Amino acid sequence: MNTAEIRELFPILKQEINGHPLIYLDSAATSQKPASVIDAVKRYYEWDNANVHRGVHTLGSRATDAYEGAREKVAKFINASSEQEIIFTRGTTTALNIVASSYARSVLQEGDEIVITPMEHHANLIPWQQAAKATGAVLKYIPLQPDGSISLSDVEATVTDRTKIVSVVYVSNVLGVVNPVKQIAAIAHKHGAKMVVDGAQSTPHMKVDVQDLDCDFYALSGHKMCGPTGIGALYGKKALLEQMEPVEFGGEMIDHVGLYESTWKDLPWKFEGGTPIIAGAVGLGAAIDFLQQIGMDAVYKHDLHLTNYAVERMSDIEDLTIYGPLKDRAGLVTFNLGDVHPHDVATVLDAEGVAVRAGHHCCQPLMRWLEVSATARASFYLYNTEADIDRLVAALLKTKEYFGHAIG
Amino acid sequence: MQLDDLYRRVIMDHYKNPRNRGKFDADEAVTIDLNNPTCGDKISLQMKVEDGMVSDAKFIGEGCSISLSSASMMTDAVKGKTLEEALDMAEKFSGLMKGEAVEFEYEDIEALSGVNKFPARIKCATLAWNALRKGIEHTKQNG
């Protein structure tokens, strides 16, 4: 993978921040967009803009083809068996909410169990809290190992015949840990439960095969994988999606409408009420083309290499704590620097042109488990280089010096 | 972007040696717990109010140097002030965050003027002052 060439494709990286070349290390929050994605969205609005599935005119056909073409690309990208299994959503959060509101609430009864982990992003935690409250189901947590990983024997011990749903993040946005979702799915299925995967952090960084994982639902966000914001997708096994009721009712998702009764369109459109995010879907399609040209195996290898390099370099900084397992983590390093609050770290790094995230990363229960109120996080993607990490390390040393001086 | 605008010596001194850090017994004071849900900063502010005057104030909290030094300065500054004077001060602080030239009787607060050049950090600086406003509101409503 030629990172220098790839960097050239991202216009945003060619700027200075506070007098320094931008080092963008916040891709886990949102990735940057290559020119091909930006151009695809622009071209759609300039040439093809029309509503989908309605107009019989040329633009209407072009817009529909572009939108449905993007769905086909998503289906192939994660190896769904049919594009009918791909529902366009605003992102991972909306996708998980559809599962929790439609599927889960229709099957859950009092005393049933929903199993998740303490490392879930709020998007894969609060919908289940709400589903449990609404149905009387019990929310259970697979405990974490001291390094933040999950042991399959703990999964075996937590999932029971009362479990109806197991919902786990594939790659943690704080710990970077890659969860064994294929094995967890097998355990869930042994007990008759359905497996939901939050793929927000995995889809951008690794090859995903939903059929191989044998998950029942899989959620992803476009903006974390070089696509636009406001677009994502829910994959669901066709048989399950067919038995589910829509969560949004209105235009576009209907088949026949009577005064008192109506029927719904076929999959996947029954879940896509209203005018969809057409340009977003077009942009996501372009992002998938872009990633596939590079190859997801190459992206994974690159991100893993950078993460290992970052862990190695950052481990040399005195007083720096890295959270989560030190090996087999994907694309990010979460840390704290001595007594310096992560907001202060992020501000000093920003002054050096280095963009990192600071805060609870929408994982408040995990922060409590780590016994911190907040952390800083550097996350990497295909446009980052070892030199970026060297700049991060230099800026962290400067932060230490600055605060040592300012506080001392 | 000058970091020294943000992290002035007086701010770091309040961060390192916070004034009024601690707790009163719950029945002695009005307690306001406030957090910043976007970043996880927390403050628990306590005010003793006697005859319409803030006679004492303490806080405990978790947060960055800006949020904790701001809480330290605020609690020091409101002591001995009437509720109206304290509210006035909170208004002035909002002005300071917008870049207005305002002066405070308790001059340390002016050191936070640099925060307005760092928009992402304004919420850190205002957390304690938002707690103060809530505390005053609560006291006025509950007599």
Side-chain angles (χ1 to χ4, degrees):
Chain A
M1 201 167 112
N2 187 334
T3 313
E5 277 178 20
I6 287 172
R7 287 179 65 82
E8 284 299 308
L9 306 174
F10 287 80
I12 206 166
L13 298 178
K14 296 169 188 164
Q15 66 177 304
E16 290 198 341
I17 297 288
N18 300 315
H20 303 276
L22 166 65
I23 305 291
Y24 186 75
L25 300 178
D26 197 17
S27 296
T30 195
S31 69
Q32 296 303 347
K33 325 301 175 197
S36 61
V37 168
I38 299 166
D39 291 346
V41 173
K42 185 169 177 274
R43 205 169 44 242
Y44 166 76
Y45 277 126
E46 280 182 351
W47 292 100
D48 303 329
N49 179 54
N51 214 326
V52 290
H53 304 135
R54 291 171 175 86
V56 290
H57 51 73
T58 304
L59 292 190
S61 302
R62 278 197 218 153
T64 304
D65 287 351
Y67 183 67
E68 293 303 330
R71 194 191 311 274
E72 212 179 310
K73 286 178 186 177
V74 175
K76 284 197 178 128
F77 191 61
I78 61 170
N79 196 32
S81 58
S82 142
E83 53 266 30
Q84 281 184 293
E85 296 181 320
I86 303 298
I87 296 158
F88 279 127
T89 65
R90 279 203 302 128
T92 304
T93 303
T94 317
L96 292 166
N97 270 280
I98 291 173
V99 184
S101 303
S102 175
Y103 177 75
R105 291 194 194 200
S106 70
V107 298
L108 288 172
Q109 291 181 345
E110 202 170 335
D112 285 344
E113 296 164 355
I114 304 164
V115 170
I116 63 172
T117 80
M119 76 173 85
E120 300 310 319
H121 186 275
H122 294 164
N124 194 31
L125 192 160
I126 300 163
W128 300 117
Q129 274 183 357
Q130 293 302 112
K133 279 185 184 169
T135 59
V138 180
L139 191 57
K140 285 171 78 178
Y141 286 86
I142 302 163
L144 300 184
Q145 295 294 300
D147 70 353
S149 63
I150 287 177
S151 96
L152 287 174
S153 56
D154 281 335
V155 181
E156 293 271 13
T158 313
V159 179
T160 73
D161 288 345
R162 298 302 307 263
T163 307
K164 290 278 198 301
I165 314 258
V166 178
S167 189
V168 174
V169 69
Y170 200 166
V171 172
S172 159
N173 71 325
V174 172
L175 303 170
V177 53
V178 183
N179 285 319
V181 291
K182 184 176 175 177
Q183 290 86 333
I184 299 173
I187 295 169
H189 291 151
K190 203 168 71 187
H191 292 276
K194 300 293 180 238
M195 180 72 191
V196 186
V197 177
D198 171 353
Q201 294 297 342
S202 48
T203 323
H205 297 281
M206 55 211 271
K207 200 174 235 173
V208 171
D209 183 333
V210 288
Q211 293 189 72
D212 178 54
L213 295 175
D214 196 22
C215 55
D216 298 284
F217 297 99
Y218 186 98
L220 63 92
S221 285
H223 73 98
K224 292 184 198 280
M225 48 187 279
C226 297
T229 56
I231 186 77
L234 169 67
Y235 156 82
K237 282 183 181 166
K238 199 175 163 195
L240 290 171
L241 292 176
E242 272 171 348
Q243 79 181 59
M244 284 161 60
E245 277 292 295
V247 287
E248 281 190 332
F249 301 88
E252 187 71 3
M253 50 76 67
I254 42 82
D255 178 23
H256 171 79
V257 177
L259 284 177
Y260 300 102
E261 288 295 335
S262 298
T263 56
W264 321 134
K265 268 189 181 168
D266 288 337
L267 283 177
W269 304 293
K270 72 172 179 179
F271 289 104
E272 295 179 1
T275 297
I277 307 149
I278 308 164
V282 169
L284 176 56
I288 288 172
D289 288 343
F290 172 78
L291 288 171
Q292 278 180 330
Q293 270 165 24
I294 294 161
M296 290 311 290
D297 287 335
V299 173
Y300 179 71
K301 228 170 115 186
H302 175 78
D303 294 348
L304 193 66
H305 168 75
L306 281 187
T307 310
N308 288 337
Y309 181 71
V311 167
E312 191 188 312
R313 294 277 341 254
M314 291 165 78
S315 298
D316 287 341
I317 301 175
E318 211 184 321
D319 292 338
L320 188 134
T321 309
I322 293 173
Y323 300 100
L326 294 183
K327 283 186 173 171
D328 302 326
R329 53 164 62 220
L332 58 92
V333 180
T334 297
F335 62 95
N336 266 324
L337 183 62
D339 293 335
V340 188
H341 192 278
H343 292 168
D344 295 321
V345 172
T347 296
V348 183
L349 295 187
D350 186 44
E352 295 290 311
V354 180
V356 299
R357 177 84 188 269
H360 53 56
H361 316 288
C362 295
C363 289
Q364 290 186 24
L366 183 60
M367 291 294 116
R368 284 193 283 277
W369 184 83
L370 292 170
E371 297 180 340
V372 292
S373 61
T375 62
R377 177 187 71 193
S379 51
F380 319 114
Y381 207 13
L382 69 179
Y383 35 69
N384 292 121
T385 62
E386 284 187 3
D388 290 353
I389 290 160
D390 294 341
R391 283 270 311 278
L392 166 71
V393 169
L396 284 169
L397 292 172
K398 215 163 184 177
T399 310
K400 265 190 76 163
E401 194 190 314
Y402 186 84
F403 271 84
H405 173 73
I407 295 175
Chain B
M1 184 178 186
Q2 286 297 319
L3 281 176
D4 289 338
D5 285 345
L6 185 66
Y7 298 115
R8 289 181 188 173
R9 187 158 289 277
V10 63
I11 293 174
M12 299 320 289
D13 179 55
H14 276 269
Y15 180 46
K16 195 183 165 195
N17 309 298
R19 302 7 166 207
N20 314 305
R21 202 169 167 92
K23 278 174 92 170
F24 298 118
D25 286 336
D27 58 351
E28 284 184 312
V30 178
T31 304
I32 301 295
D33 294 320
L34 212 57
N35 69 332
N36 181 350
T38 56
C39 66
D41 280 1
K42 287 178 198 162
I43 185 172
S44 179
L45 170 69
Q46 289 189 304
M47 296 159 50
K48 281 187 182 178
V49 180
E50 292 167 77
D51 302 327
M53 185 182 282
V54 182
S55 60
D56 208 349
K58 284 190 180 194
F59 78 99
I60 49 172
E62 282 173 16
C64 60
S65 56
I66 303 301
S67 70
L68 295 182
S69 63
S70 185
S72 167
M73 292 173 191
M74 182 277 286
T75 44
D76 239 6
V78 294
K79 280 191 227 177
K81 301 286 180 238
T82 64
L83 293 177
E84 276 65 33
E85 285 168 338
L87 202 56
D88 249 18
M89 221 187 295
E91 286 298 323
K92 271 171 80 177
F93 191 79
S94 295
L96 191 74
M97 292 298 105
K98 289 176 195 149
E100 292 167 14
V102 274
E103 288 182 3
F104 287 84
E105 190 183 320
Y106 187 93
E107 287 174 7
D108 286 10
I109 298 172
E110 291 164 29
L112 286 166
S113 63
V115 178
N116 88 77
K117 293 181 195 150
F118 296 78
R121 306 299 297 276
I122 289 174
K123 276 186 180 170
C124 308
T126 51
L127 184 65
W129 296 85
N130 290 339
L132 172 68
R133 283 174 196 271
K134 284 207 163 199
I136 294 169
E137 210 174 285
H138 180 270
T139 309
K140 283 184 170 170
Q141 276 169 9
N142 296 280

